[in-house]
Amino acid sequence: MVALAMDPAGQADGLASLFGTELAAGVGAVGVHGSALGPGHETPVSDTPRAGLSSRGWITQTSFDRMAAASPRQRPVSGMRRILSLLLVLAASGAVAEEPQPPFFTARDCPAGTALPEGIAVQCGTVTVLEDRTRPDGPRIALAVATLWRTGQDLAPDPLLFIQGGPGLPTHLGPGDLKVWAGMVKSREWLGRQRLVLFDQRGVGASPILPSGCSPLDPNAVNRTVDHLQPPRAAWLADLRRSAKECWARYRDSGHGPGNITTATIAADVADLRLALGYPAWNLWGMSFGSRVALAVMRDHPEGIRSVIVEGVAPPEANLVRDHLADLGSAFDALVGTCRDDADCDAAFPDLERRYFALAAALDAHPRIAPVTVPDEPTVMARIDGWALRDLTFQMLGSPERSRFLPLLVAEAEAGNMRLLDSMKTWQVLVAEIEQEDLASDVYASVICADLLPTESDWADRARSQDPRFADQVWNPQSDGSCAAWPVARSPAGDAAPVTSAIPTLLISGAFDPITPPGRAEAAAKRLANGHSYVFPGQGHGVLIRGQPCARRIANRFLDDPGSRPDDACFTSLAPPIFEPPSRRP
């Protein structure tokens, strides 16, 4: 599986949010509904229970619905009272029937238990959009949104909208997650200079399409991370297809269409969010798949966009399924080259590439069966062969905290010390469990099968030839039948058109990113008249979101004056990454 987002375990630095938003409509912070302020202490948002809440926190029956459906009084009423009662019922029924045409904002209470640090406020709500914009009378989707801002200071007028990656990852809606976001707004100037708007994309998290979500389409995802040969391929694919068909039937039976979940429809949702919230202009910040959405907004809905920040850049014209092996190979080569260029690393780990693939071959010949224990789960025995090592390397390269250990892992493992290899495998299984809980796999499947499934019949063979070293890692949703069980229509070719724009854009990449390598951003920047691209040494998938200090400074300068090249003095003085030295342990 290729996920266009940083691993969930690496999101503790800030990928969290709350459903809700500022009651904007052009009037700023007037009429706060469900807000939480922290004057000198953490103040919980009202946790008063509300009638008509589903398990997902949505209002399922309005007071007007209840009035219209109420049983008539049993005692006699006068003629005038009967007329007045009838008028009230008709008025109430009319109020329901005359719900505004989307997009529109509705204020909601924030989740119970929400507590914010001093000096931070939040407002919560939903923005209702059309599921299918060719059907004005068709089904609607309530997108959960939230706005956080600093109190007691003048703010820049144009908010910043965060667009999450995935596809299918939530921005997270719990009270604790909102507290994390609030801490970022309070401590990071580039986030606190203006309001920060958060939302869950259609079908994800607190923006459901179905009354209750589908089970994971791949019920064996964690098991296949523990041992990629179990269950056997035929049984695994049968389970995947069965789960996909069951979920597809739920969409069909509820009158919804998975084909309405694409990059283009999510980009249109972003444009509708701005209109519903009443902002004349705002700034976009897209991470990974969110960068693909942000760039599509620039191309298809440029109105009201002051500036754009994209990191882990996935341009619409890039196909991250087809080019997965080439991207992994380029990231691996970047790390090997960086080690070779560093005197200390090269002395400690000479000939790293050859030794790495020799280790992979040795593990293929004699797979390691290692105990893996994650919190609240029984110990399982994980298979680590050459395929598993390459798969683990892909995830390590995306995390700067772990890629620095790769040379040491190779050196220790070839000497028979498996402590690092086992530790990283445990981390990988934990990430898989988190993703299994977080990922809306129906949304993921819709975007992959509609937008990213290569059209060439021989694409998989061509992909393997791009980098034979990683040929076994190719993932083909055509051959495994997952897209056959999820038969969304292919998106129009124009949805993959490159973006040419003069909107000021900041592009941020990590040099070791195996998912969205820096070459993607560099190519996209050539079509952006006011684009500024930075490749951060030693970083992986997600730089700004992880809090890299220089990236934060550049983002702050960029938001201050998007029309000028940001002050990037810190970037020119960045030190190269430091790899973990050989262990001194016996």
Side-chain angles (χ1 to χ4, degrees):
M1 176 182 292
V2 180
L4 310 190
M6 62 191 294
D7 63 84
Q11 297 183 3
D13 188 48
L15 288 188
S17 88
L18 170 77
F19 74 95
T21 190
E22 169 189 7
L23 181 58
V27 295
V30 177
V32 175
H33 179 90
S35 66
L37 305 179
H41 59 280
E42 293 183 348
T43 304
V45 177
S46 171
D47 57 0
T48 304
R50 291 180 294 145
L53 285 182
S54 72
S55 61
R56 287 181 176 265
W58 304 109
I59 294 180
T60 57
Q61 186 181 42
T62 67
S63 58
F64 284 136
D65 291 321
R66 290 192 292 272
M67 184 188 300
S71 299
R73 298 187 182 188
Q74 300 303 308
R75 63 182 178 83
V77 294
S78 68
M80 182 59 71
R81 285 181 177 176
R82 185 175 289 111
I83 293 172
L84 289 174
S85 297
L86 178 61
L87 289 175
L88 286 172
V89 171
L90 290 174
S93 301
V96 173
E98 294 176 5
E99 186 179 60
Q101 183 66 18
F104 61 88
F105 170 76
T106 305
R108 308 286 191 198
D109 288 341
C110 296
T114 299
L116 303 180
E118 178 184 0
I120 302 297
V122 62
Q123 291 179 328
C124 305
T126 59
V127 168
T128 299
V129 298
L130 291 171
E131 179 182 344
D132 181 350
R133 289 178 171 82
T134 67
R135 298 174 57 199
D137 297 326
R140 301 175 174 192
I141 304 171
L143 303 178
V145 292
T147 299
L148 289 158
W149 72 96
R150 293 177 180 178
T151 61
Q153 72 174 63
D154 292 334
L155 299 174
D158 306 312
L160 175 67
L161 175 75
F162 175 66
I163 309 174
Q164 172 65 297
L169 283 176
T171 311
H172 293 292
L173 308 179
D177 300 315
L178 180 61
K179 185 176 180 180
V180 173
W181 274 116
M184 294 171 65
V185 170
K186 182 171 183 176
S187 63
R188 300 182 182 181
E189 186 58 32
W190 80 278
L191 291 177
R193 62 181 301 282
Q194 69 280 296
R195 286 174 169 79
L196 176 65
V197 182
L198 312 168
F199 82 109
D200 265 344
Q201 297 166 22
R202 56 172 55 203
V204 177
S207 300
I209 295 176
L210 298 175
S212 60
C214 290
S215 299
L217 299 192
D218 184 359
N220 296 301
V222 176
N223 293 336
R224 297 279 294 186
T225 303
V226 173
D227 183 345
H228 69 98
L229 299 180
Q230 297 298 328
R233 179 176 176 82
W236 166 54
L237 294 179
D239 286 347
L240 190 153
R241 292 166 186 154
R242 181 169 51 253
S243 297
K245 289 179 180 178
E246 289 173 356
C247 185
W248 184 274
R250 291 184 60 189
Y251 270 91
R252 181 196 61 219
D253 295 345
S254 63
H256 297 286
N260 293 315
I261 307 172
T262 65
T263 304
T265 58
I266 297 170
D269 289 344
V270 169
D272 278 353
L273 279 171
R274 184 184 65 82
L275 295 175
L277 297 176
Y279 293 118
W282 63 3
N283 309 281
L284 305 182
W285 167 31
M287 164 65 200
S288 192
F289 172 70
S291 73
R292 180 183 176 92
V293 173
L295 289 163
V297 179
M298 292 172 63
R299 182 193 62 207
D300 301 337
H301 311 279
E303 303 82 8
I305 302 178
R306 175 178 179 265
S307 73
V308 176
I309 299 174
V310 286
E311 59 173 324
V313 182
E317 70 273 18
N319 192 301
L320 281 75
V321 174
R322 182 190 59 220
D323 298 329
H324 171 54
L325 299 189
D327 295 343
L328 171 56
S330 68
F332 176 80
D333 290 341
L335 183 142
V336 170
T338 301
C339 180
R340 184 173 53 245
D341 294 341
D342 180 273
D344 291 337
C345 187
D346 191 47
F349 311 107
D351 203 10
L352 180 59
E353 179 181 358
R354 182 194 62 76
R355 294 166 65 186
Y356 173 87
F357 287 106
L359 174 62
L363 288 169
D364 273 334
H366 303 285
R368 174 167 176 75
I369 308 300
V372 167
T373 304
V374 298
D376 303 321
E377 297 289 342
T379 298
V380 295
M381 303 307 293
R383 177 188 179 92
I384 309 177
D385 54 16
W387 189 97
L389 175 65
R390 291 187 291 270
D391 187 56
L392 178 59
T393 300
F394 170 76
Q395 288 194 277
M396 290 180 66
L397 287 167
S399 166
E401 297 82 11
R402 291 167 181 84
S403 62
R404 61 190 295 264
F405 284 94
L406 187 58
L408 179 60
L409 183 154
V410 172
E412 288 193 349
E414 67 183 3
N417 183 349
M418 301 296 181
R419 67 181 185 101
L420 262 180
L421 183 61
D422 292 354
S423 175
M424 291 298 175
K425 186 63 180 179
T426 299
W427 163 74
Q428 185 186 34
V429 172
L430 177 61
V431 169
E433 290 198 347
I434 295 173
E435 185 176 89
Q436 184 86 317
E437 295 177 0
D438 276 0
L439 184 72
S441 52
D442 48 341
V443 172
Y444 180 89
S446 291
V447 174
I448 294 296
C449 297
D451 293 348
L452 293 173
L453 185 65
T455 56
E456 308 92 344
S457 60
D458 64 341
W459 76 266
D461 291 334
R462 292 165 60 185
R464 292 186 183 95
S465 68
Q466 289 178 332
D467 196 330
R469 300 173 302 172
F470 296 98
D472 289 344
Q473 311 306 120
V474 73
W475 171 58
N476 188 348
Q478 283 175 311
S479 65
D480 69 23
S482 55
C483 283
W486 200 256
V488 293
R490 293 288 183 91
S491 295
D495 287 1
V499 178
T500 300
S501 175
I503 296 173
T505 308
L506 177 64
L507 304 94
I508 296 178
S509 307
F512 298 165
D513 187 346
I515 303 175
T516 52
R520 305 266 191 230
E522 299 288 293
K526 293 178 180 178
R527 300 185 180 92
L528 302 174
N530 294 298
H532 312 287
S533 180
Y534 296 88
V535 180
F536 283 77
Q539 296 293 309
H541 191 57
V543 179
L544 193 55
I545 190 66
R546 293 179 185 270
Q548 207 285 336
C550 180
R552 287 160 53 180
R553 284 195 286 273
I554 292 175
N556 193 42
R557 300 291 197 280
F558 174 75
L559 289 170
D560 279 343
D561 182 11
S564 302
R565 183 174 184 85
D567 179 356
D568 55 9
C570 65
F571 181 80
T572 59
S573 59
L574 283 175
I578 300 175
F579 293 96
E580 188 70 13
S583 174
R584 299 183 183 276
R585 300 178 186 179

